[in-house]
Amino acid sequence: MAAIHSAEWVILGPGSWFTSVIPHLLVPGIHDALINTRAKRILTLNLVMNTVETVGFSAKNHLEVLAAHAPELRLDVVLADPNIVVTRRCCGGLPGTWGRSWSLPAGRP
């Protein structure tokens, strides 16, 4: 937990959503550290959305699951391949502090 609290950046993902990314939010000490750290938080979405664990999931579905497990988690950046996230607006309706910055190609709304 000390490493999370003293970090400048915390990177979540990429990885198997339910066996590599979400489990960090289920461990009380790690969950609290991720919520309370002063580090910037970046979520790196997978290049391939349809894995065995997430068949049929869109980028928005991935964020919804993450938000359901940690609604108080604030993300500073969501890093996504433009082939899986067409626009930043695709994830409207999710918590307002999620993805203050989307790393997508210039010209994408």
Side-chain angles (χ1 to χ4, degrees):
M1 273 51 81
I4 294 172
H5 284 294
S6 65
E8 291 183 33
W9 283 88
V10 173
I11 302 168
L12 297 171
S16 300
W17 210 243
F18 293 107
T19 56
S20 296
V21 178
I22 299 297
H24 295 97
L25 301 171
L26 303 178
V27 178
I30 295 174
H31 175 273
D32 295 343
L34 289 170
I35 301 302
N36 295 314
T37 185
R38 291 180 181 236
K40 292 196 182 274
R41 296 165 200 87
I42 182 171
L43 173 65
T44 305
L45 292 176
N46 293 333
L47 293 174
V48 176
M49 291 283 104
N50 279 326
T51 65
V52 173
E53 289 185 347
T54 56
V55 173
F57 272 39
S58 66
K60 182 176 181 178
N61 297 137
H62 281 76
L63 292 174
E64 289 170 339
V65 168
L66 194 63
H69 284 87
E72 62 280 359
L73 179 67
R74 178 186 52 81
L75 296 174
D76 296 289
V77 176
V78 176
L79 179 63
D81 184 296
N83 293 317
I84 61 164
V85 178
V86 178
T87 71
R88 290 171 185 85
R89 288 189 293 259
C90 82
C91 297
L94 291 171
T97 58
W98 281 59
R100 293 177 185 194
S101 172
W102 281 81
S103 183
L104 294 172
R108 296 277 176 113

XYZ file of all heavy atoms in Angstrom:
828
model
N 0.818 -1.184 0.000
C 0.000 0.000 0.000
C 0.872 1.263 0.000
O 0.494 2.254 -0.595
C -0.918 0.019 1.204
C -2.266 -0.685 1.079
S -2.370 -2.336 0.502
C -1.974 -3.252 1.942
N 2.006 1.188 0.650
C 2.906 2.341 0.692
C 3.342 2.740 -0.714
O 3.438 3.931 -1.023
C 4.113 2.040 1.570
N 3.590 1.760 -1.569
C 4.010 2.062 -2.939
C 2.905 2.794 -3.697
O 3.189 3.715 -4.469
C 4.390 0.770 -3.662
N 1.667 2.399 -3.488
C 0.549 3.072 -4.151
C 0.430 4.507 -3.648
O 0.253 5.437 -4.432
C -0.774 2.299 -3.928
C -0.706 0.943 -4.626
C -1.973 3.113 -4.426
C -1.869 0.018 -4.312
N 0.563 4.694 -2.341
C 0.446 6.039 -1.769
C 1.582 6.965 -2.189
O 1.382 8.171 -2.311
C 0.351 5.972 -0.246
C -0.989 5.530 0.237
N -2.137 6.271 0.067
C -1.374 4.397 0.870
C -3.165 5.629 0.574
N -2.736 4.480 1.071
N 2.766 6.412 -2.423
C 3.907 7.262 -2.767
C 4.133 7.376 -4.275
O 5.015 8.109 -4.710
C 5.175 6.739 -2.094
O 5.508 5.462 -2.604
N 3.335 6.696 -5.069
C 3.510 6.711 -6.525
C 3.108 8.044 -7.129
O 2.285 8.776 -6.571
C 2.669 5.599 -7.152
N 3.704 8.360 -8.274
C 3.270 9.516 -9.049
C 2.132 9.125 -9.983
O 1.251 9.920 -10.258
C 4.437 10.075 -9.862
C 5.502 10.720 -8.992
C 6.614 11.320 -9.816
O 6.352 11.815 -10.936
O 7.759 11.293 -9.329
N 2.184 7.898 -10.500
C 1.162 7.355 -11.377
C 0.816 5.950 -10.930
O 1.702 5.185 -10.553
C 1.647 7.271 -12.828
C 1.660 8.582 -13.538
C 2.684 9.485 -13.564
C 0.620 9.146 -14.316
N 2.333 10.573 -14.319
C 1.074 10.387 -14.795
C -0.652 8.714 -14.665
C 0.283 11.204 -15.604
C -1.432 9.527 -15.470
C -0.961 10.762 -15.930
N -0.451 5.599 -10.998
C -0.920 4.234 -10.779
C -1.566 3.805 -12.092
O -2.428 4.510 -12.624
C -1.941 4.139 -9.630
C -2.518 2.741 -9.545
C -1.303 4.541 -8.317
N -1.126 2.664 -12.604
C -1.623 2.175 -13.886
C -2.474 0.936 -13.646
O -2.004 -0.040 -13.064
C -0.455 1.832 -14.832
C 0.419 3.069 -15.044
C -0.987 1.285 -16.156
C 1.741 2.778 -15.719
N -3.716 1.003 -14.079
C -4.623 -0.147 -14.021
C -4.762 -0.693 -15.431
O -4.997 0.070 -16.372
C -5.987 0.264 -13.494
C -6.035 0.808 -12.070
C -7.403 1.377 -11.767
C -5.681 -0.287 -11.086
N -4.629 -2.011 -15.584
C -4.732 -2.639 -16.889
C -3.451 -2.443 -17.663
O -2.516 -1.828 -17.163
N -3.384 -2.963 -18.841
C -4.368 -3.845 -19.434
C -4.280 -5.232 -18.808
O -3.361 -5.510 -18.041
C -3.965 -3.871 -20.909
C -2.479 -3.689 -20.884
C -2.220 -2.775 -19.716
N -5.223 -6.052 -19.144
C -5.197 -7.427 -18.657
C -6.581 -8.028 -18.660
O -7.559 -7.371 -19.000
N -6.641 -9.277 -18.291
C -7.928 -9.962 -18.187
C -8.776 -9.200 -17.171
O -8.364 -8.999 -16.036
C -7.727 -11.403 -17.726
O -6.925 -12.087 -18.651
N -9.926 -8.755 -17.598
C -10.703 -7.803 -16.797
C -11.089 -8.354 -15.433
O -10.896 -7.699 -14.417
C -11.940 -7.362 -17.584
C -12.349 -5.980 -17.238
C -13.523 -5.597 -16.666
C -11.590 -4.787 -17.412
N -13.541 -4.244 -16.485
C -12.361 -3.718 -16.935
C -10.328 -4.516 -17.926
C -11.921 -2.408 -16.951
C -9.883 -3.210 -17.949
C -10.681 -2.176 -17.465
N -11.618 -9.565 -15.396
C -12.135 -10.116 -14.143
C -11.103 -10.900 -13.339
O -11.344 -11.209 -12.179
C -13.369 -10.985 -14.412
C -14.531 -10.177 -14.913
C -14.917 -10.248 -16.234
C -15.226 -9.325 -14.064
C -15.978 -9.490 -16.704
C -16.289 -8.556 -14.521
C -16.667 -8.643 -15.843
N -9.964 -11.210 -13.936
C -8.946 -11.956 -13.189
C -7.655 -11.183 -12.977
O -6.808 -11.623 -12.203
C -8.626 -13.300 -13.877
O -8.222 -13.052 -15.229
C -9.834 -14.219 -13.863
N -7.504 -10.032 -13.630
C -6.278 -9.247 -13.459
C -6.512 -7.797 -13.049
O -5.709 -7.225 -12.333
C -5.458 -9.257 -14.758
O -5.027 -10.546 -15.065
N -7.579 -7.186 -13.525
C -7.816 -5.761 -13.248
C -8.755 -5.584 -12.047
O -8.402 -4.925 -11.068
C -8.362 -5.034 -14.500
C -8.638 -3.576 -14.197
C -7.370 -5.165 -15.658
N -9.937 -6.151 -12.108
C -10.940 -5.997 -11.047
C -10.464 -6.516 -9.689
O -10.752 -5.891 -8.665
C -12.277 -6.654 -11.458
C -12.848 -5.992 -12.709
C -13.282 -6.624 -10.311
C -13.213 -4.534 -12.577
N -9.726 -7.630 -9.611
C -9.323 -8.142 -8.286
C -8.603 -7.129 -7.401
O -8.728 -7.164 -6.184
C -8.426 -9.335 -8.619
C -8.976 -9.837 -9.911
C -9.354 -8.571 -10.668
N -7.876 -6.194 -7.990
C -7.200 -5.172 -7.181
C -8.194 -4.335 -6.385
O -7.890 -3.830 -5.315
C -6.357 -4.258 -8.078
C -5.235 -4.977 -8.743
N -5.334 -5.452 -10.021
C -4.012 -5.333 -8.292
C -4.204 -6.061 -10.338
N -3.396 -6.008 -9.314
N -9.385 -4.202 -6.925
C -10.404 -3.399 -6.264
C -11.171 -4.179 -5.204
O -11.967 -3.612 -4.476
C -11.368 -2.836 -7.304
C -10.697 -1.957 -8.360
C -11.674 -1.624 -9.467
C -10.125 -0.708 -7.729
N -10.927 -5.476 -5.126
C -11.633 -6.316 -4.168
C -10.850 -6.526 -2.876
O -11.413 -7.001 -1.891
C -11.958 -7.675 -4.806
C -12.775 -7.613 -6.098
C -12.985 -9.013 -6.653
C -14.097 -6.905 -5.872
N -9.588 -6.181 -2.883
C -8.755 -6.312 -1.680
C -8.873 -5.000 -0.911
O -8.458 -3.951 -1.416
C -7.289 -6.601 -2.054
C -6.424 -6.695 -0.808
C -7.187 -7.867 -2.901
N -9.450 -5.034 0.296
C -9.748 -3.789 1.014
C -8.575 -2.801 1.113
O -8.746 -1.624 0.820
C -10.199 -4.263 2.392
C -10.770 -5.619 2.133
C -9.909 -6.210 1.041
N -7.411 -3.240 1.491
C -6.279 -2.312 1.631
C -5.860 -1.701 0.313
O -5.580 -0.502 0.224
N -5.824 -2.518 -0.727
C -5.450 -2.005 -2.046
C -6.546 -1.100 -2.584
O -6.266 -0.031 -3.138
C -5.158 -3.167 -3.018
C -3.927 -3.947 -2.544
C -4.961 -2.651 -4.437
C -3.628 -5.197 -3.340
N -7.777 -1.507 -2.420
C -8.919 -0.684 -2.854
C -8.830 0.712 -2.239
O -8.891 1.723 -2.931
C -10.226 -1.373 -2.451
C -11.448 -0.570 -2.735
N -11.950 0.362 -1.854
C -12.265 -0.543 -3.816
C -13.029 0.912 -2.373
N -13.241 0.379 -3.556
N -8.649 0.764 -0.927
C -8.577 2.050 -0.236
C -7.376 2.861 -0.694
O -7.468 4.082 -0.871
C -8.534 1.843 1.278
C -9.823 1.224 1.811
O -10.848 1.254 1.100
O -9.798 0.705 2.946
N -6.244 2.200 -0.896
C -5.046 2.911 -1.361
C -5.273 3.496 -2.753
O -4.874 4.633 -3.022
C -3.840 1.976 -1.354
N -5.923 2.742 -3.635
C -6.199 3.248 -4.980
C -7.164 4.428 -4.959
O -7.053 5.345 -5.761
C -6.769 2.129 -5.862
C -5.778 1.038 -6.263
C -6.512 -0.133 -6.912
C -4.715 1.597 -7.188
N -8.079 4.415 -4.029
C -9.032 5.515 -3.901
C -8.360 6.761 -3.323
O -8.596 7.875 -3.779
C -10.227 5.109 -2.989
C -10.954 3.894 -3.535
C -11.181 6.280 -2.749
C -11.497 4.033 -4.929
N -7.500 6.568 -2.328
C -6.974 7.699 -1.557
C -5.612 8.210 -1.984
O -5.185 9.261 -1.498
C -6.929 7.309 -0.076
C -8.317 7.071 0.466
O -9.224 7.856 0.233
N -8.497 5.961 1.164
N -4.934 7.524 -2.890
C -3.614 7.995 -3.302
C -3.701 9.356 -3.994
O -4.719 9.686 -4.616
C -2.933 6.982 -4.244
O -1.616 7.446 -4.520
C -3.692 6.786 -5.537
N -2.636 10.111 -3.868
C -2.555 11.389 -4.585
C -1.997 11.205 -5.989
O -1.927 12.145 -6.770
C -1.685 12.377 -3.814
C -2.327 12.823 -2.526
C -1.425 13.802 -1.789
N -2.053 14.201 -0.557
C -2.290 15.457 -0.229
N -1.934 16.421 -1.025
N -2.878 15.736 0.902
N -1.606 9.977 -6.300
C -1.064 9.677 -7.633
C -2.131 9.879 -8.695
O -3.324 9.748 -8.429
C -0.570 8.232 -7.676
N -1.686 10.191 -9.886
C -2.605 10.202 -11.016
C -2.892 8.750 -11.361
O -2.050 7.887 -11.214
C -1.994 10.943 -12.197
C -1.835 12.430 -11.932
C -1.597 13.157 -13.227
C -1.384 14.622 -12.953
N -2.620 15.357 -12.877
N -4.109 8.500 -11.822
C -4.527 7.145 -12.148
C -4.831 7.050 -13.641
O -5.584 7.855 -14.168
C -5.774 6.763 -11.350
C -5.534 6.714 -9.858
C -6.896 6.695 -9.138
N -6.769 7.105 -7.763
C -6.811 8.364 -7.340
N -6.984 9.344 -8.182
N -6.679 8.633 -6.048
N -4.238 6.051 -14.271
C -4.480 5.817 -15.694
C -5.041 4.416 -15.863
O -4.547 3.463 -15.251
C -3.202 6.008 -16.543
C -3.503 5.808 -18.028
C -2.084 5.108 -16.076
C -2.350 6.201 -18.943
N -6.078 4.299 -16.646
C -6.640 3.006 -16.996
C -6.264 2.734 -18.442
O -6.553 3.538 -19.325
C -8.164 3.002 -16.852
C -8.851 1.736 -17.349
C -8.453 0.533 -16.492
C -10.355 1.914 -17.365
N -5.611 1.620 -18.673
C -5.239 1.211 -20.022
C -6.186 0.104 -20.452
O -6.159 -0.993 -19.888
C -3.778 0.705 -20.051
O -2.932 1.720 -19.524
C -3.347 0.368 -21.460
N -7.038 0.415 -21.407
C -7.981 -0.590 -21.905
C -7.251 -1.566 -22.823
O -6.276 -1.212 -23.488
C -9.128 0.078 -22.659
C -10.079 0.917 -21.810
C -11.115 1.600 -22.683
C -10.761 0.047 -20.754
N -7.750 -2.784 -22.856
C -7.165 -3.812 -23.708
C -7.322 -3.456 -25.178
O -8.265 -2.777 -25.574
C -7.838 -5.160 -23.444
C -7.542 -5.692 -22.061
O -6.521 -5.386 -21.473
N -8.452 -6.493 -21.544
N -6.407 -3.944 -25.986
C -6.500 -3.739 -27.430
C -7.628 -4.566 -28.034
O -8.199 -4.198 -29.050
C -5.177 -4.109 -28.108
C -3.995 -3.213 -27.768
C -2.719 -3.771 -28.374
C -4.239 -1.793 -28.239
N -7.945 -5.673 -27.397
C -9.013 -6.552 -27.855
C -10.085 -6.578 -26.775
O -9.818 -6.938 -25.634
C -8.483 -7.978 -28.119
C -9.623 -8.911 -28.506
C -7.402 -7.968 -29.186
N -11.280 -6.181 -27.112
C -12.361 -6.135 -26.132
C -12.996 -7.500 -25.912
O -13.360 -7.851 -24.816
C -13.456 -5.159 -26.581
C -13.041 -3.704 -26.545
S -13.034 -3.025 -24.872
C -11.291 -2.972 -24.516
N -13.166 -8.270 -26.962
C -13.860 -9.552 -26.864
C -12.908 -10.674 -26.491
O -12.454 -11.432 -27.340
C -14.568 -9.882 -28.184
C -15.878 -9.167 -28.306
O -16.555 -8.954 -27.316
N -16.243 -8.787 -29.519
N -12.606 -10.792 -25.212
C -11.810 -11.905 -24.734
C -12.771 -12.943 -24.156
O -13.972 -12.713 -24.081
C -10.819 -11.443 -23.642
O -11.566 -11.009 -22.500
C -9.934 -10.314 -24.144
N -12.252 -14.049 -23.737
C -13.100 -15.105 -23.169
C -13.904 -14.561 -21.985
O -15.075 -14.894 -21.818
C -12.228 -16.308 -22.734
C -13.053 -17.342 -21.996
C -11.549 -16.918 -23.945
N -13.292 -13.700 -21.177
C -13.973 -13.150 -19.993
C -15.010 -12.094 -20.331
O -15.931 -11.864 -19.559
C -12.949 -12.505 -19.051
C -12.060 -13.466 -18.350
C -11.163 -12.764 -17.346
O -11.057 -11.524 -17.355
O -10.569 -13.488 -16.553
N -14.818 -11.420 -21.443
C -15.648 -10.240 -21.719
C -16.279 -10.285 -23.105
O -16.354 -9.273 -23.790
C -14.815 -8.959 -21.560
O -13.672 -9.044 -22.430
C -14.362 -8.767 -20.135
N -16.766 -11.433 -23.502
C -17.407 -11.583 -24.809
C -18.568 -10.592 -24.914
O -19.426 -10.522 -24.036
C -17.915 -13.025 -25.011
C -18.727 -13.142 -26.294
C -16.742 -13.992 -25.036
N -18.551 -9.797 -25.971
C -19.616 -8.841 -26.211
C -19.469 -7.512 -25.486
O -20.284 -6.623 -25.667
N -18.432 -7.362 -24.657
C -18.234 -6.109 -23.929
C -17.647 -5.034 -24.837
O -16.742 -5.284 -25.617
C -17.248 -6.310 -22.770
C -17.852 -6.763 -21.485
C -18.879 -7.678 -21.453
C -17.364 -6.291 -20.283
C -19.431 -8.113 -20.264
C -17.899 -6.709 -19.079
C -18.929 -7.624 -19.071
N -18.150 -3.832 -24.690
C -17.563 -2.656 -25.338
C -16.646 -1.973 -24.319
O -16.589 -2.373 -23.149
C -18.678 -1.688 -25.745
O -19.311 -1.172 -24.575
N -15.973 -0.934 -24.755
C -15.156 -0.152 -23.820
C -16.030 0.402 -22.704
O -15.646 0.389 -21.528
C -14.447 0.979 -24.560
N -17.224 0.852 -23.048
C -18.142 1.388 -22.037
C -18.507 0.313 -21.015
O -18.537 0.578 -19.818
C -19.399 1.952 -22.685
C -20.349 2.569 -21.677
C -21.545 3.208 -22.344
C -22.448 3.832 -21.290
N -23.604 4.501 -21.889
N -18.778 -0.910 -21.469
C -19.089 -1.999 -20.544
C -17.944 -2.245 -19.568
O -18.168 -2.484 -18.381
C -19.383 -3.301 -21.286
C -20.592 -3.235 -22.181
O -20.547 -3.735 -23.303
N -21.669 -2.631 -21.724
N -16.707 -2.182 -20.061
C -15.543 -2.368 -19.191
C -15.517 -1.294 -18.102
O -15.283 -1.582 -16.926
C -14.246 -2.321 -20.002
C -13.941 -3.583 -20.724
N -14.587 -3.957 -21.870
C -13.054 -4.566 -20.448
C -14.112 -5.120 -22.276
N -13.174 -5.516 -21.428
N -15.769 -0.058 -18.485
C -15.768 1.038 -17.514
C -16.933 0.920 -16.534
O -16.789 1.232 -15.353
C -15.801 2.385 -18.228
C -14.538 2.728 -19.022
C -14.737 4.012 -19.797
C -13.325 2.821 -18.115
N -18.077 0.459 -17.015
C -19.228 0.278 -16.126
C -18.937 -0.757 -15.051
O -19.288 -0.565 -13.878
C -20.458 -0.136 -16.932
C -21.023 0.978 -17.778
C -22.080 0.506 -18.764
O -22.130 -0.697 -19.091
O -22.858 1.369 -19.225
N -18.294 -1.846 -15.421
C -17.940 -2.884 -14.447
C -16.945 -2.331 -13.431
O -17.072 -2.558 -12.226
C -17.377 -4.134 -15.160
C -16.748 -5.093 -14.165
C -18.470 -4.822 -15.947
N -15.960 -1.592 -13.919
C -14.978 -0.994 -13.005
C -15.676 -0.024 -12.052
O -15.426 -0.041 -10.840
C -13.889 -0.289 -13.805
C -12.632 0.110 -13.051
C -11.896 -1.109 -12.507
C -11.708 0.904 -13.957
N -16.584 0.788 -12.564
C -17.310 1.749 -11.737
C -18.206 1.052 -10.715
O -18.368 1.532 -9.593
C -18.143 2.679 -12.613
N -18.754 -0.095 -11.089
C -19.608 -0.833 -10.158
C -18.806 -1.368 -8.972
O -19.316 -1.446 -7.860
C -20.293 -1.985 -10.882
N -17.555 -1.703 -9.206
C -16.703 -2.240 -8.140
C -16.028 -1.143 -7.322
O -15.610 -1.392 -6.189
C -15.654 -3.182 -8.713
C -16.219 -4.509 -9.087
N -16.773 -4.741 -10.327
C -16.357 -5.648 -8.383
C -17.206 -5.985 -10.368
N -16.982 -6.561 -9.199
N -15.890 0.036 -7.897
C -15.230 1.136 -7.184
C -15.791 2.470 -7.672
O -15.118 3.226 -8.370
C -13.719 1.079 -7.391
N -17.043 2.771 -7.312
C -17.658 4.007 -7.808
C -16.928 5.271 -7.376
O -17.038 6.306 -8.035
C -19.079 3.956 -7.242
C -19.038 2.965 -6.146
C -17.923 2.009 -6.450
N -16.166 5.199 -6.297
C -15.448 6.384 -5.824
C -14.058 6.523 -6.433
O -13.353 7.505 -6.183
C -15.359 6.372 -4.288
C -14.594 5.205 -3.705
C -15.373 3.891 -3.617
O -16.546 3.826 -3.986
O -14.770 2.911 -3.180
N -13.663 5.568 -7.279
C -12.357 5.637 -7.936
C -12.369 6.746 -8.979
O -13.285 6.839 -9.793
C -12.022 4.298 -8.608
C -10.696 4.246 -9.354
C -9.520 4.362 -8.380
C -10.586 2.946 -10.146
N -11.363 7.590 -8.935
C -11.210 8.678 -9.913
C -10.098 8.297 -10.871
O -9.016 7.908 -10.447
C -10.850 9.980 -9.193
C -10.632 11.155 -10.126
C -10.139 12.388 -9.375
N -8.976 12.138 -8.534
C -7.712 12.090 -8.967
N -7.443 12.236 -10.244
N -6.721 11.881 -8.120
N -10.383 8.399 -12.153
C -9.359 8.171 -13.174
C -8.983 9.500 -13.787
O -9.840 10.335 -14.053
C -9.887 7.239 -14.263
C -10.225 5.818 -13.832
C -10.870 5.058 -14.980
C -8.992 5.095 -13.327
N -7.698 9.687 -14.018
C -7.229 10.912 -14.661
C -7.105 10.741 -16.165
O -7.308 11.688 -16.918
C -5.888 11.322 -14.058
C -6.028 11.662 -12.590
O -6.623 12.719 -12.297
O -5.585 10.872 -11.742
N -6.750 9.535 -16.587
C -6.574 9.256 -18.012
C -7.122 7.871 -18.309
O -6.913 6.942 -17.533
C -5.072 9.299 -18.411
C -4.888 8.911 -19.869
C -4.471 10.660 -18.150
N -7.818 7.759 -19.425
C -8.197 6.458 -19.969
C -7.479 6.337 -21.304
O -7.676 7.161 -22.197
C -9.721 6.328 -20.161
C -10.053 4.989 -20.809
C -10.439 6.478 -18.826
N -6.620 5.346 -21.395
C -5.836 5.121 -22.611
C -6.518 4.016 -23.405
O -6.712 2.913 -22.892
C -4.411 4.711 -22.250
C -3.461 4.404 -23.398
C -3.238 5.645 -24.260
C -2.138 3.879 -22.852
N -6.899 4.341 -24.641
C -7.653 3.379 -25.447
C -7.232 3.447 -26.902
O -6.941 4.520 -27.424
C -9.142 3.681 -25.330
N -7.220 2.303 -27.530
C -6.960 2.218 -28.954
C -8.175 2.795 -29.690
O -9.318 2.484 -29.347
C -6.766 0.755 -29.343
C -6.386 0.582 -30.799
O -7.213 0.925 -31.669
O -5.278 0.100 -31.070
N -7.963 3.632 -30.689
C -9.094 4.240 -31.395
C -9.979 3.219 -32.109
O -11.122 3.514 -32.426
C -8.438 5.192 -32.390
C -7.050 4.674 -32.552
C -6.679 4.061 -31.228
N -9.477 2.026 -32.320
C -10.290 1.000 -32.969
C -11.328 0.397 -32.033
O -12.255 -0.265 -32.481
C -9.400 -0.109 -33.538
C -8.553 0.397 -34.670
O -9.016 1.130 -35.535
N -7.290 0.034 -34.654
N -11.182 0.615 -30.725
C -12.176 0.092 -29.789
C -13.034 1.188 -29.185
O -14.107 0.923 -28.689
C -11.523 -0.747 -28.663
C -10.568 0.089 -27.844
C -10.842 -1.968 -29.224
C -10.183 -0.537 -26.531
N -12.561 2.415 -29.228
C -13.330 3.557 -28.719
C -13.398 4.572 -29.843
O -12.420 5.216 -30.166
C -12.657 4.195 -27.476
C -13.454 5.401 -27.016
C -12.505 3.182 -26.371
N -14.556 4.687 -30.443
C -14.698 5.558 -31.599
C -14.639 7.024 -31.190
O -14.004 7.832 -31.837
C -16.008 5.248 -32.358
C -16.179 6.178 -33.536
C -15.997 3.794 -32.809
N -15.308 7.374 -30.088
C -15.289 8.755 -29.608
C -15.247 8.760 -28.088
O -15.594 7.779 -27.438
C -16.539 9.559 -30.037
O -17.653 9.070 -29.312
C -16.775 9.472 -31.526
N -14.849 9.878 -27.536
C -14.844 10.038 -26.079
C -16.271 9.976 -25.538
O -16.512 9.577 -24.425
C -14.213 11.375 -25.702
C -12.730 11.433 -25.958
C -12.227 12.871 -25.764
N -10.836 12.983 -26.102
C -10.375 13.179 -27.324
N -11.212 13.271 -28.340
N -9.095 13.267 -27.538
N -17.236 10.410 -26.359
C -18.636 10.430 -25.928
C -19.227 9.036 -25.761
O -20.290 8.879 -25.188
C -19.476 11.238 -26.909
C -19.217 12.727 -26.815
C -20.220 13.494 -27.653
N -20.024 13.242 -29.061
C -19.413 14.063 -29.898
N -18.935 15.190 -29.471
N -19.272 13.751 -31.164
N -18.525 8.013 -26.237
C -19.080 6.653 -26.155
C -19.320 6.242 -24.713
O -20.136 5.377 -24.452
C -18.141 5.645 -26.817
S -16.789 5.101 -25.755
N -18.636 6.861 -23.802
C -18.739 6.452 -22.404
C -19.465 7.486 -21.570
O -19.274 7.585 -20.366
C -17.357 6.145 -21.845
S -16.606 4.759 -22.723
N -20.318 8.272 -22.196
C -21.123 9.238 -21.467
C -22.016 8.542 -20.460
O -22.386 7.394 -20.625
N -22.332 9.231 -19.393
C -23.191 8.663 -18.381
C -22.429 7.948 -17.280
O -23.004 7.539 -16.281
N -21.122 7.791 -17.453
C -20.311 7.193 -16.401
C -19.914 8.291 -15.429
O -20.024 9.472 -15.733
C -19.075 6.522 -17.013
C -19.407 5.283 -17.843
C -18.172 4.803 -18.580
C -19.968 4.178 -16.977
N -19.431 7.912 -14.248
C -19.075 8.941 -13.260
C -18.245 10.064 -13.872
O -17.315 9.807 -14.634
C -18.276 8.148 -12.222
C -18.847 6.768 -12.314
C -19.162 6.569 -13.783
N -18.596 11.289 -13.549
C -17.999 12.461 -14.176
C -16.504 12.611 -13.988
O -15.858 13.289 -14.776
N -15.940 12.008 -12.967
C -14.508 12.162 -12.758
C -13.710 11.084 -13.473
O -12.509 11.028 -13.377
C -14.161 12.120 -11.255
O -14.623 10.887 -10.712
C -14.777 13.277 -10.517
N -14.392 10.211 -14.200
C -13.706 9.142 -14.917
C -13.174 9.664 -16.226
O -13.888 10.280 -16.992
C -14.677 8.003 -15.178
C -14.861 7.160 -13.980
C -15.315 7.565 -12.765
C -14.570 5.790 -13.858
N -15.330 6.514 -11.907
C -14.889 5.413 -12.544
C -14.085 4.835 -14.735
C -14.719 4.117 -12.097
C -13.935 3.549 -14.285
C -14.240 3.199 -12.977
N -11.911 9.411 -16.466
C -11.336 9.738 -17.757
C -11.374 11.206 -18.071
O -11.884 11.615 -19.095
N -10.832 12.006 -17.186
C -10.768 13.441 -17.461
C -10.047 13.690 -18.776
O -10.271 14.660 -19.446
C -10.039 14.148 -16.333
C -10.798 14.116 -15.036
C -10.017 14.753 -13.940
N -10.766 14.581 -12.715
C -10.512 15.242 -11.622
N -9.534 16.100 -11.576
N -11.231 15.039 -10.556
N -9.161 12.777 -19.104
C -8.431 12.866 -20.352
C -8.495 11.513 -21.039
O -8.218 10.491 -20.434
C -6.968 13.228 -20.065
O -6.204 13.140 -21.231
N -8.893 11.529 -22.301
C -8.884 10.304 -23.096
C -7.720 10.418 -24.033
O -7.550 11.433 -24.710
C -10.174 10.179 -23.903
C -11.312 9.702 -23.091
C -12.084 10.455 -22.255
C -11.802 8.376 -23.012
N -13.027 9.669 -21.675
C -12.890 8.392 -22.110
C -11.442 7.171 -23.609
C -13.608 7.241 -21.802
C -12.163 6.039 -23.306
C -13.219 6.085 -22.406
N -6.902 9.404 -24.096
C -5.782 9.406 -25.025
C -6.238 8.714 -26.309
O -6.199 7.499 -26.439
C -4.592 8.674 -24.407
O -3.493 8.743 -25.279
N -6.731 9.537 -27.227
C -7.198 9.082 -28.532
C -6.576 9.989 -29.591
O -6.087 11.067 -29.283
C -8.724 9.177 -28.633
C -9.535 8.263 -27.721
C -11.008 8.632 -27.804
C -9.340 6.811 -28.104
N -6.588 9.573 -30.840
C -6.013 10.417 -31.882
C -6.669 11.787 -31.961
O -7.849 11.925 -31.654
C -6.277 9.630 -33.171
C -6.572 8.248 -32.741
C -7.134 8.341 -31.341
N -5.913 12.763 -32.398
C -6.440 14.110 -32.562
C -7.621 14.067 -33.540
O -7.641 13.269 -34.465
C -5.352 15.026 -33.111
N -8.587 14.914 -33.300
C -9.736 15.005 -34.178
C -10.896 14.118 -33.783
O -11.960 14.221 -34.356
N -10.679 13.259 -32.802
C -11.782 12.418 -32.339
C -12.530 13.179 -31.248
O -11.928 13.637 -30.300
C -11.296 11.090 -31.760
C -10.602 10.195 -32.766
C -11.634 9.414 -33.560
N -10.983 8.629 -34.589
C -10.939 7.319 -34.607
N -11.517 6.637 -33.662
N -10.349 6.693 -35.570
N -13.867 13.349 -31.381
C -14.631 14.096 -30.366
C -14.746 13.350 -29.054
O -14.640 12.170 -28.994
C -16.002 14.268 -31.020
C -16.073 13.311 -32.142
C -14.673 12.925 -32.496
